[in-house]
Amino acid sequence: PEKVVGEASPVGWWYARFAINWPEGAEPSWYLDPLLAHQVIAPVLQHHREELKLWRFHRRAARDQAGHQFSFIFYAGPDAARRIFTALQADPLLGELKQRGLVLQSACDEPDTVTRPNLEDTSDRHWPLSVQRSWPYYIQGVSEMWLNLIAEIASQPTSGKPPAGLDELLHFYEQLNRVITQLWRQEGHHAFLHHLNALFGYEPLMVRE
Protein backbone atom coordinates (compact mmCIF):
# COMPACT_ATOMS: atom_id res chain seq x y z
CA PRO A 1 0.00 0.00 0.00
CA GLU A 2 0.96 3.63 -0.48
CA LYS A 3 2.99 5.05 2.35
CA VAL A 4 1.03 7.91 3.86
CA VAL A 5 2.98 8.69 7.04
CA GLY A 6 6.00 10.93 7.28
CA GLU A 7 5.18 13.20 4.34
CA ALA A 8 6.42 16.78 4.26
CA SER A 9 2.95 18.33 4.43
CA PRO A 10 0.88 17.64 7.56
CA VAL A 11 -1.91 15.12 7.19
CA GLY A 12 -4.32 13.67 9.69
CA TRP A 13 -7.69 12.08 10.30
CA TRP A 14 -10.82 14.25 10.23
CA TYR A 15 -14.45 13.52 11.16
CA ALA A 16 -17.73 14.83 9.80
CA ARG A 17 -20.47 13.51 12.08
CA PHE A 18 -24.20 13.56 11.44
CA ALA A 19 -26.47 13.12 14.47
CA ILE A 20 -29.72 11.54 13.30
CA ASN A 21 -33.02 11.89 15.14
CA TRP A 22 -33.97 8.66 16.92
CA PRO A 23 -37.22 9.02 18.89
CA GLU A 24 -37.65 6.96 22.03
CA GLY A 25 -39.35 3.62 21.32
CA ALA A 26 -38.64 3.76 17.57
CA GLU A 27 -36.19 1.85 15.42
CA PRO A 28 -33.21 3.78 14.03
CA SER A 29 -33.84 5.42 10.67
CA TRP A 30 -31.06 3.40 9.03
CA TYR A 31 -32.11 4.50 5.54
CA LEU A 32 -30.84 8.03 6.29
CA ASP A 33 -27.27 6.70 6.34
CA PRO A 34 -27.22 5.63 2.67
CA LEU A 35 -29.14 8.79 1.75
CA LEU A 36 -26.44 10.97 3.36
CA ALA A 37 -23.65 8.84 1.88
CA HIS A 38 -25.01 8.92 -1.66
CA GLN A 39 -26.67 12.33 -1.92
CA VAL A 40 -24.57 14.53 0.39
CA ILE A 41 -21.12 12.96 0.83
CA ALA A 42 -20.51 11.14 -2.45
CA PRO A 43 -20.46 14.28 -4.66
CA VAL A 44 -17.97 15.96 -2.30
CA LEU A 45 -15.91 12.79 -2.06
CA GLN A 46 -15.75 12.50 -5.83
CA HIS A 47 -14.69 16.13 -6.24
CA HIS A 48 -11.93 15.90 -3.63
CA ARG A 49 -10.92 12.26 -4.05
CA GLU A 50 -7.35 13.05 -5.17
CA GLU A 51 -6.78 15.03 -1.97
CA LEU A 52 -7.72 12.11 0.28
CA LYS A 53 -5.17 9.51 1.33
CA LEU A 54 -7.82 7.30 2.92
CA TRP A 55 -11.51 7.57 3.78
CA ARG A 56 -14.37 5.55 5.19
CA PHE A 57 -17.87 5.61 6.66
CA HIS A 58 -18.92 4.66 10.16
CA ARG A 59 -22.46 3.76 11.21
CA ARG A 60 -23.72 3.30 14.76
CA ALA A 61 -26.89 3.50 16.83
CA ALA A 62 -26.99 2.94 20.58
CA ARG A 63 -29.06 4.43 23.37
CA ASP A 64 -26.21 6.55 24.70
CA GLN A 65 -24.98 10.12 24.37
CA ALA A 66 -24.02 9.70 20.70
CA GLY A 67 -27.24 7.92 19.71
CA HIS A 68 -27.70 7.29 15.98
CA GLN A 69 -24.69 8.78 14.25
CA PHE A 70 -23.33 8.52 10.73
CA SER A 71 -19.74 9.61 10.12
CA PHE A 72 -17.49 10.37 7.18
CA ILE A 73 -13.86 9.94 8.23
CA PHE A 74 -10.90 10.80 6.02
CA TYR A 75 -7.12 11.19 6.07
CA ALA A 76 -5.92 14.40 4.40
CA GLY A 77 -4.29 17.76 4.92
CA PRO A 78 -5.98 20.62 6.81
CA ASP A 79 -6.70 22.65 3.66
CA ALA A 80 -8.50 19.71 2.05
CA ALA A 81 -10.43 19.11 5.27
CA ARG A 82 -11.54 22.74 5.34
CA ARG A 83 -12.78 22.60 1.75
CA ILE A 84 -14.61 19.31 2.32
CA PHE A 85 -16.28 20.49 5.53
CA THR A 86 -17.40 23.73 3.86
CA ALA A 87 -18.95 21.83 0.96
CA LEU A 88 -20.73 19.36 3.24
CA GLN A 89 -22.20 22.01 5.52
CA ALA A 90 -23.45 24.01 2.54
CA ASP A 91 -25.33 21.09 0.99
CA PRO A 92 -28.99 22.10 0.49
CA LEU A 93 -30.36 18.59 1.10
CA LEU A 94 -28.54 18.43 4.43
CA GLY A 95 -30.11 21.76 5.31
CA GLU A 96 -33.54 20.41 4.41
CA LEU A 97 -33.01 17.29 6.53
CA LYS A 98 -32.06 19.50 9.47
CA GLN A 99 -35.06 21.75 8.96
CA ARG A 100 -37.32 18.69 8.95
CA GLY A 101 -35.69 17.48 12.18
CA LEU A 102 -34.38 14.25 10.69
CA VAL A 103 -30.74 15.27 11.12
CA LEU A 104 -30.26 16.99 14.46
CA GLN A 105 -26.73 18.22 13.93
CA SER A 106 -23.78 18.03 11.55
CA ALA A 107 -20.46 18.54 13.31
CA CYS A 108 -17.04 18.76 11.67
CA ASP A 109 -13.60 18.77 13.26
CA GLU A 110 -11.77 22.09 13.52
CA PRO A 111 -9.30 21.90 10.60
CA ASP A 112 -6.73 24.36 11.96
CA THR A 113 -4.64 21.76 13.77
CA VAL A 114 -3.81 18.14 12.94
CA THR A 115 -4.55 16.12 16.09
CA ARG A 116 -4.57 12.58 14.61
CA PRO A 117 -1.48 12.46 12.36
CA ASN A 118 -0.76 8.74 12.52
CA LEU A 119 -2.25 6.10 10.29
CA GLU A 120 -3.36 4.09 13.33
CA ASP A 121 -4.92 7.01 15.25
CA THR A 122 -8.55 6.05 14.51
CA SER A 123 -8.12 2.27 14.85
CA ASP A 124 -9.01 0.22 17.91
CA ARG A 125 -6.20 0.50 20.46
CA HIS A 126 -6.76 -3.10 21.54
CA TRP A 127 -5.54 -4.41 18.18
CA PRO A 128 -1.89 -5.14 17.45
CA LEU A 129 -0.16 -2.15 15.84
CA SER A 130 0.19 -4.02 12.55
CA VAL A 131 -3.60 -4.43 12.42
CA GLN A 132 -4.21 -0.83 13.49
CA ARG A 133 -2.08 0.45 10.63
CA SER A 134 -3.47 -1.93 8.00
CA TRP A 135 -7.15 -1.74 8.91
CA PRO A 136 -7.87 1.71 7.33
CA TYR A 137 -7.16 0.23 3.90
CA TYR A 138 -9.56 -2.63 4.55
CA ILE A 139 -12.42 -0.48 5.79
CA GLN A 140 -12.02 1.97 2.90
CA GLY A 141 -12.58 -0.89 0.47
CA VAL A 142 -15.64 -2.00 2.41
CA SER A 143 -16.98 1.57 2.48
CA GLU A 144 -16.40 2.04 -1.23
CA MET A 145 -18.19 -1.20 -2.06
CA TRP A 146 -21.13 -0.18 0.15
CA LEU A 147 -21.31 3.21 -1.56
CA ASN A 148 -21.07 1.61 -5.02
CA LEU A 149 -23.81 -0.83 -4.05
CA ILE A 150 -26.06 2.09 -3.11
CA ALA A 151 -25.29 3.79 -6.43
CA GLU A 152 -25.96 0.60 -8.41
CA ILE A 153 -29.35 0.04 -6.77
CA ALA A 154 -30.29 3.72 -7.05
CA SER A 155 -29.54 3.70 -10.78
CA GLN A 156 -31.66 0.66 -11.58
CA PRO A 157 -34.65 1.51 -13.79
CA THR A 158 -38.01 1.62 -12.05
CA SER A 159 -41.54 1.90 -13.31
CA GLY A 160 -42.04 5.21 -11.57
CA LYS A 161 -40.51 8.66 -12.01
CA PRO A 162 -37.38 9.79 -10.13
CA PRO A 163 -38.12 11.00 -6.58
CA ALA A 164 -39.53 14.52 -6.55
CA GLY A 165 -39.30 16.34 -3.25
CA LEU A 166 -37.98 15.26 0.12
CA ASP A 167 -40.82 12.91 1.05
CA GLU A 168 -40.41 10.86 -2.13
CA LEU A 169 -36.62 10.87 -1.68
CA LEU A 170 -36.95 9.55 1.87
CA HIS A 171 -39.30 6.80 0.70
CA PHE A 172 -36.90 5.91 -2.13
CA TYR A 173 -33.95 5.44 0.24
CA GLU A 174 -36.08 3.57 2.75
CA GLN A 175 -36.85 1.06 0.00
CA LEU A 176 -33.22 1.07 -1.16
CA ASN A 177 -32.02 0.29 2.35
CA ARG A 178 -34.35 -2.71 2.48
CA VAL A 179 -32.84 -4.01 -0.77
CA ILE A 180 -29.30 -3.66 0.61
CA THR A 181 -30.30 -5.42 3.83
CA GLN A 182 -31.75 -8.30 1.84
CA LEU A 183 -28.61 -8.53 -0.32
CA TRP A 184 -26.48 -8.69 2.82
CA ARG A 185 -28.63 -11.49 4.23
CA GLN A 186 -28.62 -13.49 1.00
CA GLU A 187 -25.17 -12.78 -0.46
CA GLY A 188 -23.04 -11.61 2.47
CA HIS A 189 -21.90 -15.08 3.50
CA HIS A 190 -20.23 -15.81 0.17
CA ALA A 191 -19.61 -12.41 -1.43
CA PHE A 192 -18.13 -10.88 1.73
CA LEU A 193 -17.27 -13.35 4.50
CA HIS A 194 -16.23 -16.33 2.38
CA HIS A 195 -13.76 -14.33 0.30
CA LEU A 196 -12.38 -12.54 3.34
CA ASN A 197 -11.85 -15.92 4.96
CA ALA A 198 -10.12 -17.15 1.80
CA LEU A 199 -7.55 -14.33 1.98
CA PHE A 200 -6.48 -15.71 5.35
CA GLY A 201 -6.19 -19.28 4.10
CA TYR A 202 -9.46 -20.52 5.60
CA GLU A 203 -7.83 -20.63 9.03
CA PRO A 204 -10.18 -20.69 12.04
CA LEU A 205 -10.61 -17.53 14.12
CA MET A 206 -11.66 -16.91 17.70
CA VAL A 207 -15.05 -15.28 18.24
CA ARG A 208 -15.58 -13.62 21.62
CA GLU A 209 -19.10 -12.75 22.75
Side-chain angles (χ1 to χ4, degrees):
E2 177 189 1
K3 184 177 181 180
V4 294
V5 177
E7 297 180 352
S9 59
V11 292
W13 289 104
W14 311 95
Y15 283 73
R17 299 178 175 91
F18 303 87
I20 298 173
N21 190 21
W22 185 13
E24 196 68 36
E27 292 294 318
S29 299
W30 287 116
Y31 65 93
L32 290 176
D33 296 359
L35 186 153
L36 287 168
H38 189 218
Q39 293 288 335
V40 176
I41 298 172
V44 178
L45 170 62
Q46 186 63 30
H47 185 72
H48 295 278
R49 184 178 288 266
E50 292 186 1
E51 300 180 82
L52 305 185
K53 307 294 184 179
L54 289 161
W55 63 271
R56 69 180 187 267
F57 297 121
H58 184 259
R59 307 175 74 183
R60 59 98 66 200
R63 290 297 184 185
D64 55 19
Q65 188 174 2
H68 181 185
Q69 184 171 270
F70 182 66
S71 300
F72 176 51
I73 308 165
F74 58 93
Y75 194 63
D79 290 341
R82 186 174 294 105
R83 287 189 289 270
I84 289 168
F85 290 154
T86 299
L88 290 175
Q89 296 286 31
D91 185 88
L93 175 59
L94 177 60
E96 198 171 357
L97 291 169
K98 288 180 179 178
Q99 189 175 20
R100 185 72 69 89
L102 297 170
V103 173
L104 301 176
Q105 184 182 18
S106 57
C108 299
D109 287 338
E110 175 52 58
D112 289 341
T113 305
V114 175
T115 59
R116 307 179 193 90
N118 300 312
L119 193 59
E120 65 272 17
D121 282 345
T122 59
S123 298
D124 194 313
R125 295 297 189 194
H126 294 93
W127 299 337
L129 183 60
S130 58
V131 176
Q132 293 182 41
R133 291 174 60 82
S134 301
W135 183 77
Y137 295 96
Y138 163 76
I139 200 63
Q140 175 175 319
V142 173
S143 296
E144 186 140 28
M145 181 172 184
W146 181 71
L147 182 59
N148 287 343
L149 189 60
I150 294 169
E152 286 286 338
I153 296 169
S155 67
Q156 291 175 1
T158 61
S159 57
K161 297 179 181 179
L166 183 57
D167 288 332
E168 288 189 14
L169 192 68
L170 293 172
H171 178 71
F172 179 83
Y173 279 90
E174 192 169 6
Q175 297 297 111
L176 181 148
N177 191 66
R178 291 195 182 105
V179 174
I180 291 179
T181 298
Q182 191 61 28
L183 285 172
W184 166 250
R185 289 172 178 168
Q186 292 179 346
E187 310 296 340
H189 176 263
H190 185 260
F192 297 98
L193 301 183
H194 166 79
H195 288 283
L196 179 61
N197 190 27
L199 282 175
F200 289 90
Y202 300 105
E203 294 291 340
L205 74 159
M206 294 185 293
V207 177
R208 297 183 179 91
E209 294 185 0

